Amino acid sequence: DFTEMMRALGYPRLISMENFHTPNFMLVSEVLLWLVKRYEPQTDIPADVETEQDRVFFIKAVAQFMATKAHIKLNTKKLYQADGYAVKELLKVTSVLYGAMNTKGVERADVSEEDSSKFKFDLGSKIADLKAARQLASEITSKGASLYDLLGKEVELREARTESIARPLEINEAEKMMKVAIDCVLEQVQKTKDMLNNVALDEASLEAKIEKRKLELERSQKRLQTLQSVRPAFMDEYEKIEEQLQKQYSSYLEKFHNLTYMEQLLDEHRRTEQEMFEEAANMLRLMQNRLKEEEQRLLKSGNNDDSDIEIQEDEGSDSEVEDRQIMKQRSTTETLLQG
């Protein structure tokens, strides 16, 4: 089986069981190194096995590697013998690699038979496993920390445990402790019984209070019904006053509406008067400006007429000229005022 497994794994040399009839450490070391490289190619294990110390170191390194990485426990003494017993230890590693190769080949055949387009990796189904793994990892760390603390206290606890075990058992003290424990239990039982009795009494008192409240509720409901059925003496007067109040309220609303309407009309009248006053003021201002402009224009034209009159000697005296100018000014002012 070992030779067939090595051939299947791809070992370059041919191995037969006759090679292990006598101790052959060189072959064992070569096979071990090849298996380690086959398991993890980046492993750095020294291949020097010339001296006895180097061989011991080599065997220890391979055994430690297999124990930590592959979880395979190897017997270093049998490996160091390098005979048929070493083959059994080598068979542990080769069987693991051979089984992995077979499972990988089966998986590849299954995948090749299936259509690659139909292959889907469902990540959602792995989320729950991932959460569970994280939770377990946190629990492992917390349990490991607590275990480390407890192991640190083991020295003190071991001494106390040995002292308690070595101490002879006294029957009188044991009886006293049992009696004390029995008394405590009996006391607790009595307390629970008292509590149960108190609960029963409280339940009875609560039921009595509930019945009393029910009777009071029935009486109050009956009284309410009688009060609702009886008409009070002041109800007629109340209805009359309510009617009068309704009439007063309607008249109040009417007067309030009229008052608001009159105030609105008054505001509109005041607004129109104000607009008319502003228009008259604007007209007077415009008329004053026109009169001033006309007077200035007449004064300018009067000066021109005076110059013409002085040149013409046949027109008359200066007094007549002034009278004419005054008459012209009056006539122009009167025409403006009429306009």
Side-chain angles (χ1 to χ4, degrees):
D1 293 338
F2 176 70
T3 57
E4 291 177 359
M5 286 181 184
M6 291 297 290
R7 192 181 300 110
L9 290 172
Y11 188 68
R13 287 180 55 184
L14 294 174
I15 301 173
S16 65
M17 295 305 296
E18 294 178 357
N19 295 328
F20 297 100
H21 286 306
T22 58
N24 191 354
F25 192 84
M26 298 301 293
L27 181 59
V28 172
S29 62
E30 185 179 353
V31 171
L32 283 173
L33 189 61
W34 186 82
L35 289 173
V36 169
K37 293 290 184 181
R38 181 80 175 179
Y39 193 83
E40 189 172 352
Q42 283 115 15
T43 306
D44 187 11
I45 293 176
D48 190 8
V49 290
E50 297 295 332
T51 62
E52 184 179 354
Q53 294 180 355
D54 294 337
R55 292 179 179 180
V56 172
F57 181 74
F58 176 78
I59 294 296
K60 285 183 178 179
V62 172
Q64 186 176 3
F65 173 80
M66 288 297 173
T68 55
K69 297 293 183 180
H71 300 286
I72 299 171
K73 187 177 180 181
L74 298 175
N75 193 342
T76 55
K77 291 181 179 180
K78 291 181 179 180
L79 287 174
Y80 191 78
Q81 289 177 7
D83 53 3
Y85 293 102
V87 175
K88 294 181 180 180
E89 301 299 322
L90 293 172
L91 191 60
K92 295 178 182 179
V93 182
T94 54
S95 61
V96 173
L97 292 173
Y98 184 72
M101 186 182 70
N102 289 331
T103 55
K104 189 174 181 182
V106 171
E107 288 177 358
R108 284 182 179 177
D110 294 336
V111 171
S112 62
E113 289 175 0
E114 293 179 356
D115 188 6
S116 60
S117 63
K118 295 180 180 179
F119 181 75
K120 294 180 180 179
F121 182 72
D122 190 7
L123 185 61
S125 62
K126 302 294 182 181
I127 292 174
D129 297 337
L130 182 61
K131 290 181 179 179
R134 287 180 179 176
Q135 186 177 1
L136 289 173
S138 61
E139 289 179 359
I140 287 167
T141 53
S142 61
K143 293 289 180 64
S146 61
L147 183 61
Y148 180 77
D149 295 335
L150 293 173
L151 289 174
K153 298 177 182 178
E154 179 61 23
V155 178
E156 299 176 358
L157 295 174
R158 189 186 298 122
E159 293 178 358
R161 187 168 59 249
T162 52
E163 288 179 0
S164 61
I165 291 170
R167 188 174 58 189
L169 183 62
E170 294 182 0
I171 296 172
N172 294 326
E173 291 182 359
E175 288 179 354
K176 288 180 182 179
M177 294 300 293
M178 290 297 292
K179 287 180 180 179
V180 170
I182 290 167
D183 293 335
C184 291
V185 172
L186 291 174
E187 187 177 357
Q188 290 180 358
V189 171
Q190 188 64 34
K191 286 181 179 179
T192 52
K193 287 181 179 180
D194 295 336
M195 290 174 67
L196 290 172
N197 293 327
N198 292 328
V199 166
L201 293 173
D202 294 336
E203 187 178 359
S205 62
L206 288 172
E207 287 179 355
K209 288 181 180 179
I210 289 167
E211 291 294 332
K212 186 177 180 181
R213 295 291 182 182
K214 285 181 179 179
L215 294 172
E216 290 178 358
L217 179 62
E218 289 177 358
R219 285 197 297 269
S220 60
Q221 286 179 353
K222 289 179 180 178
R223 186 178 179 185
L224 178 63
Q225 290 176 0
T226 54
L227 289 174
Q228 288 177 352
S229 62
V230 174
R231 184 179 176 84
F234 58 86
M235 198 66 189
D236 297 332
E237 186 179 0
Y238 172 75
E239 289 178 354
K240 290 178 181 179
I241 293 170
E242 190 174 4
E243 291 177 358
Q244 293 176 2
L245 181 62
Q246 190 69 29
K247 292 178 182 179
Q248 292 292 332
Y249 181 70
S250 61
S251 63
Y252 167 74
L253 286 178
E254 185 177 359
K255 290 178 181 179
F256 182 75
H257 291 160
N258 295 329
L259 180 62
T260 52
Y261 178 69
M262 295 298 290
E263 287 177 353
Q264 185 178 0
L265 292 176
L266 181 61
D267 292 335
E268 291 178 356
H269 181 68
R270 287 177 180 174
R271 195 180 302 111
T272 54
E273 284 184 352
Q274 185 68 23
E275 290 176 356
M276 291 173 65
F277 178 74
E278 289 178 356
E279 289 179 358
N282 291 327
M283 291 294 293
L284 289 173
R285 198 177 299 110
L286 291 172
M287 290 173 66
Q288 288 176 0
N289 292 328
R290 287 179 184 177
L291 288 172
K292 287 180 182 179
E293 291 176 358
E294 192 68 28
E295 286 177 359
Q296 291 177 0
R297 187 173 61 79
L298 289 173
L299 288 172
K300 289 179 181 179
S301 64
N303 291 328
N304 294 325
D305 292 337
D306 290 338
S307 62
D308 294 336
I309 290 165
E310 287 177 357
I311 292 169
Q312 295 176 2
E313 294 178 352
D314 294 336
E315 291 294 329
S317 64
D318 295 334
S319 61
E320 291 177 356
V321 173
E322 290 177 358
D323 292 336
R324 288 175 183 175
Q325 289 178 358
I326 291 166
M327 289 299 290
K328 286 181 180 179
Q329 289 178 0
R330 286 179 180 177
S331 63
T332 53
T333 53
E334 285 176 0
T335 53
L336 289 170
L337 288 171
Q338 287 176 2

